[in-house]
Amino acid sequence: MRLGPRSFDLLLQLIKRAGELVSKEELLSAVWTGVVVEEASVRVHMSLLRKALGEPDASDGCKEWITNVPLRGYRFNGRVVRELTDSPATALTRPHAPLAKLPVRLTELIGREADVGDVLASLEGHRLVTIVGAGGIGKTSVAIRAAEHCQQKPAMQVAFIDLSPLISPDHVLGTIARSLGVAADLPDPLQGIIQNLAGRDALLLIDNCEHVVDALALPITRLLTALPGLSILATSREPLRVSGEYVQRLSALAVPDAENVTLAQALHWPAVELLIERAKAAGAGGFEESDGPLLARISRQLDGIPLAIELVAARLGVQSAGSLALRLDDHMRLLSIDSRAALPRHRSLAAALDWSIALLDENESRVFRRLSVFRGRFNVESALGVAAGDMDPDVAFDALISLANKSLVSFDGNDAIAPYRLLDTTRSYAASLLAQSDEHPALLRHHAIFMLDLMKAATADLPNLTAHDWGDRYAHHLDDVRSALEACLADPSDARTAAALVTSSAPLWFHVSQVAEYRDRVEAALELIDQQPDPDRETETWLLNALIIALLHTDVLNPDLATVSDRALAGALAAESRVLELQVRWGRCTHDMFRGEYVAALQQSATLLAIAKSWSDPAALNLAHRVSAMANHFCGNFAAAKQHCETSLQLSGGAGRTRTNMVGVDPAVAAKAMLARTLWIQGKTAKALETASDAVARAESSGHAVSLCAALYGACPVALWSGELELAGKWIRVMTDEAQRKGLVGWLRYADWYSQGLQLRTAQDSALHVRDVSAQFASYDAPRREMLVTFCTDWVDDGMVARLSLGEGLWSAAEVWRALGRKSELRGMTDEAEGFYLRALETSRQQDAKAWELRASLSLARMWAHLDRPQQALQLLEQTCANAPDQDDPAITQACGLRDEIARSLPLGQDSTRIAADPPHADGG
């Protein structure tokens, strides 16, 4: 389309801040810099823009491109796709996880310079400082200002941890972990925190501790003990009672001690200074000298409590100081009659809140108490969706803006996603008002239903947003989802809502790595459904499916997983839901593979693929081919596995992230990981390493932990088998770190396997390492033993042979036969060894497993050479080297070197026993 330069610049400014309002002043300043123009110029160009853009399509995600909100500005509504112009770096570095940033202070801190100085001085001599004071006294503001000073120190890092949204002490550790970039689902989140903060000078600001004091003692003590560079600044209405704590009491702002003071004199007192500053911000005009006594009186009535002052100051924009002082005095006297037992400052704060509410009109009061159901941040749409109810949306919107103007609702203009929130004090007050009303139960249910609809929208957004953008838009809803679930799970009549909210919120729980807590919520919802007089079996099946996915990440060896899978499959078939059946079969198939039941997995994958083909949905086919690739790989059908991987990759471009195929891993990453393993076994080392590196780079650039672990699941063994020890070490460290940080216990076990393979090549005493692993070998499950035998021929037992006779573990069958051959050779049973080596050769050739064939050929050729049968050894090596698909493979170089050595020895009749052999226990390619 054709646009003039001014129209284009306007469009650019709107797109840069898509989804948020941009004021006319900002647009004029950005587009007509240094030029004086009429405000109507913006309106004219906006009209031209709308005409040029035309009507949006259904795929554009909006009903109109540009919205004008009177007196506030313009907003671009369309979907904006941002792309990186540079390809992601393939090199992996593991920086420390980012810490939660301090909130941006929107107003000047008044009258607290000395208090901030005292806090900083306390932090110089103490590692745990708690600012203690009444609600609304300004603890958070003082703490943030002190933390800002600390942040200016070289190498000092500061993290902000807000505990106010928590509804249970059980969530304290998880909230601390997430704020410090560590998963809450780790077996030991504190250890993850310690690892992330190790070697760093850091200050943790833990805000609003009073309602979870008992849950803080242990984590604070352990963190301070383990991290010498750590300091903690906490705010609470009571001390934490932790050893080494230094308590800094925060008093109210000083108020004038005399009644007859001039305005100039009154301004020397911080309480009056704050009152005037906030009143001017609310639109109050200038104050006269005669207002001095009245302003002093108001600040005394409020006992210098900053929150009370800010609430009352908002009225000075529309009311005189004299009238305000008179009405406030009456209200204080009325309140003191009813609250004689309360502390004076608490009475003053309650009075200020009560008085502020009394000045609200009916609509404002209704919206205020209804907003108390939000535990975290929210935007206009959420506020209206929950609080408007039977109100006209425009009226409810005006009430919200009025509440923000009156400081009863906090507004953060720097937050483009969810700028509104209730402070802990005001939320508690509003919640008490809601509890006294007859709409409390209905509103809790309405909040839960709203969160359910929101989570459904979040799931629908999966294919439209990157993982990072999706998290920005939805991650802050976790506390509200958690709160809504608490309410629903406590009421048997809300069982279906609870179940639906559990299943629809799955992407959110996985995104924030709260998989263990999510698993517990699923189990609670299942129990609630089972208690119903007439349980909904389809709902139960969706919950069982969610439980399977959660268990595969957190407790993959759970003995109940098979039973759960069987129940889920029966329910999916009865419900005749294709998506449900697809995911349940994926779960069962994956579980079978993880426990080494590959034949059953192959049968499940065949059924899954047949269903997907009849459906002709790209996402379903993508998932089915991925599972088929994995099942065929472990059954030793490497050609079929490669074909399924490649088909899945072809489909992944058009499938995207959808509810059908989103089972935790990026589809393309999963396919590439399995393809890399398969290519290496087929003898294509260079291509395998390239594919593995690409999978890791893709997962790393997405920032998705589960996908990165899946990529490394395929990449780590490829690096080890190829002898790329430095790369293998880096990848194993990344996998271990990522799995621990994000609580992905199901993936952590694979990192342990690979670490054992790496230590074989890097340990100072490799023989001791071989013996240590051998001593534990019988206790390992079948999949682990199958992987370990590919690293070391000493790691084999009779149980692996028994599995081969049942058709299980065929992917490493050639390596098992080779290991048995090596065992027999070392015992001097060369005929038996030859039989095992030949069987390894036969198996590898049947499977087209060139890498296993090469290893078997080398082992057999060495033995033949030592048995003075060089001609047979030479012939075998000639054939192996000629058939190798990758002539640059280090293993081929090794085979050719042995071939040349044997050939040189023949004419001279040398003793073939001088031919070098690999150490008896190590294999690296």
Side-chain angles (χ1 to χ4, degrees):
M1 58 185 153
R2 297 175 61 87
L3 289 176
R6 299 294 189 191
S7 296
F8 178 81
D9 288 344
L10 280 173
L11 179 60
L12 184 60
Q13 294 301 318
L14 292 175
I15 289 176
K16 283 180 178 178
R17 296 169 59 180
E20 60 180 293
L21 287 168
V22 185
S23 69
K24 284 189 295 184
E25 292 75 16
E26 291 176 288
L27 293 173
L28 286 168
S29 174
V31 178
W32 284 276
T33 305
V35 180
V36 179
V37 295
E38 294 287 339
E39 290 188 3
S41 298
V42 175
R43 189 166 60 251
V44 170
H45 283 83
M46 286 297 174
S47 178
L48 294 173
L49 269 179
R50 289 191 181 98
K51 188 176 298 184
L53 292 170
E55 294 296 325
D57 296 329
S59 61
D60 293 317
C62 62
K63 294 181 179 179
E64 61 176 352
W65 289 112
I66 300 171
T67 295
N68 175 27
V69 179
L71 303 179
R72 298 191 64 198
Y74 296 86
R75 179 179 62 221
F76 185 80
N77 303 311
R79 184 178 298 121
V80 176
V81 178
R82 296 174 172 86
E83 295 182 354
L84 293 172
T85 56
D86 297 325
S87 59
T90 56
L92 270 173
T93 58
R94 299 309 302 162
H96 286 295
L99 310 182
K101 296 180 180 179
L102 291 172
V104 177
R105 293 186 303 112
L106 303 178
T107 56
E108 181 185 357
L109 185 63
I110 294 174
R112 292 301 193 187
E113 294 81 3
D115 296 308
V116 171
D118 290 342
V119 172
L120 292 172
S122 300
L123 285 169
E124 289 293 330
H126 306 274
R127 295 177 60 209
L128 172 59
V129 175
T130 305
I131 302 176
V132 174
I137 206 72
K139 302 182 292 295
T140 299
S141 298
V142 170
I144 290 174
R145 186 70 186 107
E148 289 172 345
H149 279 288
C150 293
Q151 206 167 26
Q152 295 172 7
K153 296 180 181 179
M156 174 61 74
Q157 299 187 43
V158 176
F160 181 75
I161 304 166
D162 183 13
L163 302 183
S164 65
L166 300 189
I167 57 179
S168 167
D170 296 337
H171 302 142
V172 167
L173 198 52
T175 299
I176 294 175
R178 285 200 312 278
S179 299
L180 300 178
V182 175
D185 283 351
L186 292 173
D188 185 358
L190 280 174
Q191 186 59 37
I193 294 171
I194 290 168
Q195 290 175 355
N196 191 36
L197 296 180
R200 306 163 83 174
D201 291 331
L203 172 70
L204 308 187
L205 199 174
I206 308 179
D207 196 28
N208 295 295
C209 300
E210 55 276 345
H211 60 308
V212 290
V213 165
D214 293 338
L216 283 168
L218 179 61
I220 285 179
T221 301
R222 186 172 168 190
L223 290 175
L224 290 174
T225 301
L227 298 167
L230 177 68
S231 296
I232 294 177
L233 176 61
T235 73
S236 178
R237 297 182 191 178
E238 59 179 292
L240 304 185
R241 298 185 296 277
V242 176
S243 177
E245 177 187 23
Y246 184 86
V247 176
Q248 186 87 37
R249 299 279 178 181
L250 188 63
S251 302
L253 294 174
V255 299
D257 52 5
E259 292 187 9
N260 296 319
V261 293
T262 65
L263 180 61
Q265 291 171 330
L267 278 170
H268 288 296
W269 298 91
V272 177
E273 184 183 1
L274 177 64
L275 179 63
I276 292 176
E277 180 68 26
R278 297 298 186 262
K280 288 181 177 178
F287 292 97
E288 306 293 336
E289 284 295 323
S290 59
D291 290 325
L294 295 171
L295 295 173
R297 179 180 168 187
I298 292 170
S299 65
R300 282 196 303 274
Q301 289 170 317
L302 300 174
D303 282 332
I305 297 176
L307 178 59
I309 291 172
E310 295 199 14
L311 291 171
V312 169
R315 297 300 302 174
L316 286 171
V318 295
Q319 192 173 1
S320 69
S323 172
L324 179 63
L326 182 62
R327 293 189 61 187
L328 184 60
D329 194 38
D330 290 340
H331 196 82
M332 291 293 178
R333 282 200 302 274
L334 288 172
L335 186 80
S336 64
I337 295 172
D338 297 327
S339 308
R340 291 189 181 95
L343 294 173
R345 285 187 182 131
H346 289 182
R347 287 205 306 269
S348 299
L349 178 59
L353 282 166
D354 210 8
W355 175 81
S356 297
I357 300 305
L359 296 176
L360 299 178
D361 62 30
E362 182 181 350
N363 292 322
E364 292 169 339
S365 179
R366 187 181 304 154
V367 170
F368 176 67
R369 66 174 179 263
R370 290 176 176 178
L371 288 175
S372 67
V373 297
F374 285 106
R375 300 299 305 182
R377 298 149 42 208
F378 53 89
N379 58 17
V380 171
E381 289 76 11
S382 296
L384 298 184
V386 172
D390 53 354
M391 300 172 62
D392 181 277
D394 291 337
V395 173
F397 175 77
D398 291 341
L400 173 65
I401 300 305
S402 179
L403 291 170
N405 290 336
K406 294 172 181 176
S407 299
L408 288 168
V409 174
S410 296
F411 175 77
D412 183 357
N414 291 304
D415 189 337
I417 304 295
Y420 296 97
R421 64 171 296 202
L422 291 181
L423 296 178
D424 186 38
T425 307
T426 49
R427 184 196 298 115
S428 298
Y429 188 89
S432 69
L433 296 178
L434 181 63
Q436 296 168 19
S437 72
D438 58 0
E439 59 185 6
H440 184 224
L443 196 65
L444 288 180
R445 178 170 176 76
H446 188 51
H447 174 253
I449 292 173
F450 180 83
M451 297 314 299
L452 172 59
D453 291 339
L454 186 66
M455 289 299 98
K456 289 178 179 177
T459 301
D461 262 345
L462 284 171
N464 305 324
L465 299 171
T466 65
H468 182 270
D469 289 344
W470 191 94
D472 282 347
R473 181 173 295 184
Y474 294 109
H476 68 275
H477 290 296
L478 179 64
D479 286 315
D480 275 298
V481 170
R482 182 184 276 147
S483 176
L485 280 173
E486 291 279 355
C488 292
L489 291 171
D491 185 355
S493 65
D494 280 340
R496 290 197 177 187
T497 302
L501 183 54
V502 166
T503 54
S504 64
S505 63
L508 176 62
W509 293 96
F510 276 85
H511 181 85
V512 298
S513 297
Q514 296 279 61
V515 186
E517 182 182 349
Y518 177 65
R519 178 198 63 212
D520 295 341
R521 303 282 181 180
V522 174
E523 290 175 337
L526 272 168
E527 184 177 349
L528 193 61
I529 288 292
D530 288 340
Q531 293 172 359
Q532 299 301 300
D534 184 21
D536 184 332
R537 293 308 173 193
E538 183 173 354
T539 299
E540 178 189 57
T541 305
W542 277 111
L543 288 171
L544 289 171
N545 180 54
L547 182 60
I548 292 168
I549 296 174
L551 286 173
L552 287 173
H553 288 282
T554 60
D555 193 8
V556 69
L557 300 180
N558 189 309
D560 296 331
L561 195 47
T563 303
V564 173
S565 298
D566 289 340
R567 284 179 60 196
L569 182 56
L573 293 172
E576 297 182 350
S577 168
R578 282 179 165 179
V579 173
L580 186 52
E581 182 183 355
L582 192 77
Q583 288 200 353
V584 168
R585 286 191 183 277
W586 168 87
R588 181 54 194 258
C589 190
T590 303
H591 173 54
D592 285 339
M593 283 186 281
F594 282 175
R595 63 179 180 167
E597 301 290 337
Y598 306 128
V599 175
L602 187 63
Q603 293 171 349
Q604 285 284 356
S605 70
T607 304
L608 184 65
L609 185 59
I611 294 170
K613 286 181 176 178
S614 69
W615 193 0
S616 298
D617 176 86
L621 284 168
N622 173 274
L623 183 63
H625 279 290
R626 281 160 49 196
V627 174
S628 296
M630 200 170 182
N632 275 281
H633 176 96
F634 287 115
C635 286
N637 305 326
F638 299 118
K642 178 174 178 288
Q643 183 178 359
H644 284 299
C645 286
E646 291 171 344
T647 304
S648 177
L649 284 170
Q650 292 170 1
L651 290 166
S652 63
R657 301 192 310 159
T658 71
R659 185 180 186 183
T660 302
N661 69 356
M662 277 307 294
V663 289
V665 181
D666 177 272
V669 168
K672 284 178 179 288
M674 189 50 58
L675 180 60
R677 286 179 55 137
T678 304
L679 287 171
W680 190 91
I681 292 174
Q682 289 184 318
K684 301 170 185 177
T685 301
K687 186 63 176 176
L689 283 168
E690 179 186 344
T691 304
S693 298
D694 185 51
V696 173
R698 181 185 177 101
E700 179 75 3
S701 65
S702 74
H704 194 224
V706 176
S707 295
L708 182 55
C709 286
L712 293 165
Y713 168 76
C716 290
V718 167
L720 285 169
W721 292 333
S722 303
E724 298 287 344
L725 301 186
E726 183 177 351
L727 182 62
K730 179 171 68 173
W731 279 348
I732 292 168
R733 287 191 298 273
V734 170
M735 189 175 190
T736 303
D737 175 60
E738 200 71 12
Q740 288 180 337
R741 276 201 314 117
K742 298 297 185 179
L744 303 173
V745 181
W747 293 104
L748 187 59
R749 69 182 195 135
Y750 299 114
D752 292 339
W753 302 358
Y754 304 147
S755 293
Q756 288 181 317
L758 180 65
Q759 290 175 52
L760 179 69
R761 309 293 296 278
T762 59
Q764 289 185 343
D765 189 344
S766 59
L768 176 61
H769 176 63
V770 170
R771 290 195 297 272
D772 288 343
V773 173
S774 297
Q776 306 172 62
F777 198 73
S779 65
Y780 294 155
D781 62 9
R784 184 172 193 164
R785 286 180 288 164
E786 289 162 10
M787 176 57 70
L788 291 179
V789 76
T790 69
F791 300 144
C792 175
T793 54
D794 286 27
W795 294 336
V796 67
D797 64 9
D798 293 339
M800 300 175 74
V801 179
R803 278 178 53 79
L804 292 180
S805 66
L806 299 174
E808 298 288 6
L810 296 180
W811 77 276
S812 61
E815 286 292 87
V816 172
W817 298 126
R818 188 173 71 91
L820 292 173
R822 181 61 178 162
K823 216 171 188 179
S824 298
E825 182 183 353
L826 291 174
R827 293 200 300 260
M829 303 169 66
T830 54
D831 289 343
E832 183 179 86
E834 182 174 2
F836 282 131
Y837 285 145
L838 289 171
R839 191 160 185 181
L841 273 174
E842 179 186 9
T843 301
S844 60
R845 287 168 178 168
Q846 287 174 349
Q847 296 177 342
D848 192 28
K850 298 294 185 184
W852 301 154
E853 180 185 351
L854 176 57
R855 286 185 174 187
S857 298
L858 279 167
S859 296
L860 181 57
R862 286 194 183 99
M863 189 183 75
W864 276 344
H866 284 282
L867 293 174
D868 201 21
R869 295 161 64 182
Q871 290 289 356
Q872 288 177 280
L874 191 61
Q875 183 180 3
L876 176 60
L877 290 172
E878 287 281 8
Q879 181 183 3
T880 300
C881 292
N883 293 334
D886 187 351
Q887 292 295 321
D888 294 328
D889 189 323
I892 290 297
T893 303
Q894 185 181 3
C896 292
L898 178 61
R899 176 199 61 190
D900 295 343
E901 188 173 356
I902 293 174
R904 287 194 303 271
S905 70
L906 289 177
L908 301 176
Q910 295 175 342
D911 185 356
S912 62
T913 56
R914 75 171 184 82
I915 298 172
D918 277 351
H921 50 72
D923 286 296

